[in-house]
Amino acid sequence: MRVSGREEGLRNLFVRGLAGDDAAYHAFLQQLAGFVRGYLRGRLARIPDEVEDLVQETLLAVHNQRHTYDPAQPLTAWVHAIARYKMVDLLRRRAGRDAMHDPLDEDALFAAPDEAAHDARRDLAVLLAQLPDRHRLPIVHVKLEGLSVAETARLTGMSESAVKVGIHRGLKALAAKVRA
Amino acid sequence: MRTDQLVAMLARGAGATAPGAPQRRFAAALAGGGAAAVVLMVITLGVRPDLAEAPRDPMFWVKLGVPALILASAFAGCTRAGRPGARVAAAAATLAVPVGAIGLLAALALASAPPGTRGALVMGGSWAACVISIALLALPVFAGALWAMKGLAPTRPALAGTFAGLLAGAAGALVYSFHCPEMAAPFIASWYLLGIVVPAAIGGLAGRMLLRW
């Protein structure tokens, strides 16, 4: 009961976020971070240092691929598939096959949130600084400093559509850098 | 960057996201790639000369229907394979309808044919050209479908690539059927299906390499 209640509450926030409610989307990502952290911490007990990096990578993937969510589909299944994909991808990159013996069950995803974020080892701000200007400047001005798209366009000399495209592609480029 | 800073960054100005992205992407891939395949077929192979009379033969419709149904299954499979957590088994199971139907028609045709003519019913006059042409006509949609899948989130890249290749193969077969004069069910069951399977198999390999994210 508690798990399905969480699913309903989170799904509601996410669907409102997809419709353009940024505050609901912020609350969704914040709560999701706790659930993903709890889920990964249980499964990556042998490599606890990697958990926060993977939480961040999963959140970035959820954001970049949010257009693939179908509101008719259970949110648990969608998030779980992404979190598991990113976890298996990490383990493959580490070639650490021993950790894969742990069972990967999706019921456990919304079971116990873990709100205590540890420091990530890899700093996304450092990776962000390595992006080319056409990606980096729109993200820094709009997403970090909170300027509007129009203000950023004036400041950088880019067109407004180039700013929007720069944010979109830049966040994908950031996700690609995480895997590199 | 702390996780709460990342969350704030992602959420700020995120805005609305249009629903139905998988369908739109694969429809665009199919429209663009399909148009290119039609042009390629008309220029390099040519439309069959008896196209005006061919629709009177029910086999003409069978020959269109089999790839069209495979195309529909592959389209459903592609859009699902691009969505994390969506089930693809039901879409894959619907492939049994066109494959089973043409297999049954082929078996009936072979059973009722005089013994000496069965080989000709299967081989026709153009089996090698059929397989190669379908695979080549599949290329434009193949490229489009991989592009469409790349913009989604396939958590099983090999499976996603297989469905993308299947979509391309079915489109190639559909376009090729307007050139090909063969009308025997055993021919279609053998070489059309093989022509569709080749891009699907290549798609599986390509997906493993190209569709990771």
Side-chain angles (χ1 to χ4, degrees):
Chain A
M1 278 304 278
R2 293 189 59 197
V3 169
S4 69
R6 281 173 181 154
E7 150 96 27
E8 204 37 54
L10 265 187
R11 205 190 75 89
N12 186 23
L13 286 174
F14 188 31
V15 169
R16 277 163 52 199
L18 289 176
D21 181 343
D22 288 347
Y25 186 55
H26 187 272
F28 161 75
L29 285 177
Q30 209 156 29
Q31 290 183 32
L32 188 68
F35 288 117
V36 170
R37 184 178 299 115
Y39 174 77
L40 293 177
R41 204 160 270 169
R43 267 143 205 84
L44 297 176
R46 289 189 192 84
I47 43 173
D49 291 351
E50 304 267 5
V51 168
E52 204 58 29
D53 287 338
L54 196 54
V55 169
Q56 294 191 356
E57 192 183 351
T58 302
L59 291 175
L60 194 54
V62 161
H63 176 77
N64 281 340
Q65 330 295 337
R66 66 196 189 283
H67 60 293
T68 66
Y69 178 65
D70 178 357
Q73 164 187 26
L75 177 63
T76 324
W78 185 77
V79 173
H80 179 262
I82 292 175
R84 187 181 55 180
Y85 178 78
K86 285 296 174 187
M87 176 167 63
V88 171
D89 188 52
L90 171 80
L91 295 174
R92 190 185 290 120
R93 276 183 277 146
R94 286 174 49 98
R97 302 203 167 276
D98 52 328
M100 288 182 65
H101 296 307
D102 294 331
L104 311 171
D105 54 322
E106 83 181 48
D107 290 343
L109 181 62
F110 291 168
D114 187 337
E115 306 297 349
H118 289 207
D119 287 339
R121 294 198 314 173
R122 172 202 56 228
D123 191 349
L124 285 179
V126 171
L127 295 183
L128 182 60
Q130 295 169 4
L131 293 181
D133 283 355
R134 67 181 191 284
H135 291 156
R136 183 175 57 83
L137 293 176
I139 292 175
V140 167
H141 291 315
V142 178
K143 304 288 274 182
L144 289 175
E145 295 170 357
L147 298 186
S148 71
V149 170
E151 286 166 333
T152 303
R154 268 200 303 280
L155 199 64
T156 59
M158 301 167 78
S159 69
E160 290 195 20
S161 69
V163 171
K164 288 183 196 162
V165 169
I167 294 170
H168 181 75
R169 298 216 176 130
L171 290 176
K172 293 213 158 176
L174 191 61
K177 272 202 177 295
V178 167
R179 294 184 73 238
Chain B
M1 190 183 291
R2 293 194 320 272
T3 299
D4 57 339
Q5 293 171 317
L6 173 69
V7 163
M9 180 185 94
L10 294 177
R12 179 174 284 152
T17 303
Q23 283 80 358
R24 269 183 284 114
R25 292 185 75 89
F26 284 106
L30 212 46
V38 168
V39 170
L40 206 60
M41 184 274 285
V42 170
I43 290 175
T44 60
L45 301 171
V47 173
R48 59 187 286 184
D50 61 342
L51 189 63
E53 296 93 63
R56 275 178 232 147
D57 185 338
M59 273 314 292
F60 176 79
W61 296 103
V62 170
K63 210 170 73 165
L64 287 188
V66 169
L69 287 175
I70 294 176
L71 187 84
S73 295
F75 190 90
C78 279
T79 56
R80 292 175 157 269
R83 288 190 194 278
R87 297 185 191 284
V88 294
T94 58
L95 286 169
V97 174
V99 174
I102 192 62
L104 191 66
L105 285 175
L108 290 173
L110 288 175
S112 61
T117 64
R118 285 174 187 156
L121 277 181
V122 173
M123 305 310 280
S126 60
W127 66 272
C130 169
V131 175
I132 294 167
S133 301
I134 287 176
L136 288 178
L137 289 174
L139 279 175
V141 174
F142 190 82
L146 284 183
W147 162 83
M149 199 63 93
K150 192 90 190 126
L152 300 172
T155 53
R156 281 169 287 179
L159 181 76
T162 304
F163 271 112
L166 195 65
L167 186 78
L174 197 59
V175 171
Y176 183 69
S177 67
F178 285 93
H179 159 76
C180 165
E182 307 275 359
M183 289 296 221
F187 182 91
I188 296 163
S190 311
W191 310 114
Y192 269 62
L193 292 189
L194 183 62
I196 293 171
V197 164
V198 168
I202 295 172
L205 294 174
R208 210 179 280 275
M209 289 184 288
L210 301 176
L211 293 177
R212 298 200 183 283
W213 49 281

